[in-house]
Amino acid sequence: MKRILALYRSSVGKKALMAATGLLLFGFIVSHMLGNLKVFQGPEKFSAYAEFLRTVGYPLFARGQLLWLARIGLIVAVIVHVVAAVELTMMARDARPTSYGRPVHLEDTYASRTMRWGGVILAGFVIYHVLHFTFGTVHPNFEPGDPYGNVIAGFQSVIVAISYIVVMGVLGLHLYHGIWSALQTLGITSSELDRPIRTAAGTIAVVIFLGFIAVPVAVWSGVLR
Amino acid sequence: MKLTLHVWRQQNAGAKGGFETYEARDIGPDMSFLEMLDVVNEGLIKEGKEPIAFEHDCREGICGSCGMVINGNPHGPKKAISSCQLHMRTFADGDKIWIEPWRAKAFPVRKDLVVDRSALDRIIQAGGFISVRTGSAPDANAIPIPKENADSAFDAATCIGCGACVAACPNASAMLFTAAKVAHLGALPQGQPERYERVRNMVAQMDAEGFGYCTNHGACQTACPKEISIDFIAQLNRDMMRAFFTSR
Ligand code: SF4
Ligand code: FES
């Protein structure tokens, strides 16, 4: 614990924690995407999967316990990721009080420049998304226990479907810079691995983008009903 | 050649600075950027005005003192050179050139284009000593060093401490400089005894000086006149992780 705190106090350590939590969240995103795709197997399989998430670990864990444990882990990871990002951003703001007359823009990609605002958009989206499909608070016709129906109904609105697609684009960009950056921060990259890792990060970002938007696009085009 | 210069003028650290416009006349293509400024300054002196203050020493790319941002490029638009090695043939007749100092809280402006880079010296100082036997000099090659390590240490050691990496970084981070210094000794057997303590202390000093943090943009390595690679930043990160998790 003392070490973690000492690590947290240094800028390099904060970044390492951001990288580690980022990779953890990335792992979650991959499994979430794969879970989503089960919607294409039809209502029964999809509901069975939702049920599986609640009953997994039984009888070691009571119904829903493991799911909540995972949720708590994710919430902690998000908090560490966001708090470190905010603190580091403030540090960077302070580090250059006067800006350049001619802006200096070397090497930055669109993805790397939009990490901060992209992150803000994603954080807002996660809150909306949980209220939409988990609690149903902002879902017009939410039926508890009917995940399939909720997905179909939820994406009937064109605005909702489009905003999901746009945010998944933001997620893709965030991951493209984030995956490579996390590995660099943890000291896992080197110049020989640089290109392959960037290519892999780009491919992963595209696959995740497509995997996620497949559902709203399918609902919208009537493939899923 | 005739050029229009927009130069940042600032009396001292506390004063409010601003851009002033000057005409640079009779500039030859073979002049260096600093020689062009010398010509402009002579003109200013003749008119009884204060010359533009800029730092310079070696004028051959080895001392690291001539830092300035030229049209949004630290050390100008060419790769792998410092401002003093930039030739006027890079520009075209009639060009407008914006010249301003490095901008970072840790680099207060002393005057015009001159900034105080002592923060970088303090990062090196924070690295502390290395344990060596004193007395007569050891035989050459008494300590075997793998070629790869020697090459990597040399690459890191080419850093001239100019601060262009900080100037280029969107976060005004000094990671590339610090990483080069850490990686230099870290690659050599003489650097091993204090290796992890050193990286911890240097990073702590870097943070204390008010530099930003690294977001892995890579602007630093593009701006660096010595082409120091961000590989060294990964190495610093690696050493930092080890410093926290494996050593005392
Ligand atoms: S790393 Fe490059 S840009 Fe930074 S101080 Fe050293 S030589 Fe200058
Ligand atoms: S004056 Fe020495 S590096 Fe330019």
Side-chain angles (χ1 to χ4, degrees), chain B residues 34 55-67 75 82-85 160:
Chain B
L34 301 192
E55 213 186 330
H56 59 100
D57 186 12
C58 70
R59 296 207 177 201
E60 56 179 18
I62 55 172
C63 74
S65 60
C66 58
H75 290 305
S82 50
S83 307
C84 57
Q85 296 170 291
I160 54 178

Side-chain angles (χ1 to χ4, degrees), chain B residues 76-170:
Chain B
K78 289 232 145 159
K79 264 195 86 91
I81 52 169
S82 50
S83 307
C84 57
Q85 296 170 291
L86 179 66
H87 285 98
M88 293 315 293
R89 54 177 165 268
T90 316
F91 301 93
D93 191 33
D95 271 3
K96 290 186 177 53
I97 307 179
W98 295 71
I99 312 170
E100 48 191 317
W102 291 168
R103 298 201 190 272
K105 190 175 98 198
F107 289 165
V109 174
R110 283 277 160 260
K111 194 175 167 62
D112 300 342
L113 305 174
V114 180
V115 300
D116 184 349
R117 285 173 297 123
S118 319
L120 298 184
D121 297 337
R122 288 189 293 271
I123 293 176
I124 294 187
Q125 277 166 16
F129 57 85
I130 58 164
S131 305
V132 286
R133 286 171 68 118
T134 53
S136 56
D139 280 348
N141 301 327
I143 308 171
I145 301 173
K147 179 169 186 316
E148 249 181 45
N149 293 21
D151 286 350
S152 157
F154 261 117
D155 285 349
T158 53
C159 165
I160 54 178
C162 64
C165 42
V166 177
C169 176

Side-chain angles (χ1 to χ4, degrees), chain A residues 2-3 9 29-31 37 73 95 106 120 179 182 186 200-201 213-214:
Chain A
K2 220 174 112 204
R3 282 193 181 179
R9 239 171 273 132
I29 284 168
V30 171
S31 51
L37 292 177
L106 299 173
V120 172
I179 293 172
L186 295 173
I213 69 162

Side-chain angles (χ1 to χ4, degrees), chain B residues 159-165 176-177 224-226 228:
Chain B
C159 165
I160 54 178
C162 64
C165 42
L176 191 64
F177 167 82
C224 176
K226 298 297 156 188
I228 305 280

Side-chain angles (χ1 to χ4, degrees), chain A residues 6-218:
Chain A
L7 191 65
Y8 191 77
R9 239 171 273 132
S10 108
S11 64
V12 174
K14 272 202 208 9
K15 278 243 39 194
L17 288 173
M18 270 191 81
T21 49
L23 290 177
L24 193 92
L25 293 170
F26 165 62
F28 162 72
I29 284 168
V30 171
S31 51
H32 186 358
M33 182 197 78
L34 294 175
N36 282 0
L37 292 177
K38 286 201 180 289
V39 80
F40 288 102
Q41 294 181 327
E44 294 79 35
K45 286 265 168 61
F46 194 55
S47 298
Y49 172 67
E51 184 59 19
F52 160 78
L53 289 180
R54 281 159 185 81
T55 51
V56 64
Y58 188 81
L60 232 48
F61 294 92
R63 185 188 158 78
Q65 258 184 7
L66 206 58
L67 183 64
W68 268 106
L69 224 63
R71 282 175 176 166
I72 290 169
L74 287 173
I75 291 170
V76 170
V78 168
I79 291 175
V80 171
H81 198 74
V82 170
V83 171
V86 170
E87 283 186 14
L88 288 167
T89 303
M90 311 252 262
M91 182 175 174
R93 291 263 150 86
D94 289 349
R96 178 164 294 135
T98 356
S99 47
Y100 285 106
R102 292 278 103 157
V104 176
H105 273 310
L106 299 173
E107 283 306 307
D108 45 358
T109 58
Y110 187 71
S112 68
R113 256 184 291 140
T114 51
M115 284 307 271
R116 288 177 189 143
W117 282 112
V120 172
I121 293 174
L122 290 175
F125 169 76
V126 167
I127 295 171
Y128 168 75
H129 179 55
V130 166
L131 293 178
H132 191 203
F133 280 135
T134 311
F135 296 118
T137 331
V138 296
H139 195 295
N141 20 34
F142 189 75
E143 288 292 337
D146 179 19
Y148 187 88
N150 289 336
V151 168
I152 306 293
F155 285 137
Q156 290 307 324
S157 153
V158 178
I159 297 173
V160 171
I162 289 184
S163 38
Y164 265 81
I165 293 173
V166 169
V167 173
M168 287 308 108
V170 174
L171 175 67
L173 283 174
H174 200 76
L175 288 177
Y176 171 57
H177 181 74
I179 293 172
W180 175 81
S181 180
L183 296 179
Q184 165 84 359
T185 298
L186 295 173
I188 301 170
T189 43
S190 69
S191 44
E192 301 91 71
L193 289 177
D194 195 65
R195 276 288 123 205
I197 290 181
R198 277 185 201 259
T199 313
T203 316
I204 292 170
V206 170
V207 168
I208 292 204
F209 170 70
L210 294 176
F212 274 121
I213 69 162
V215 180
V217 167

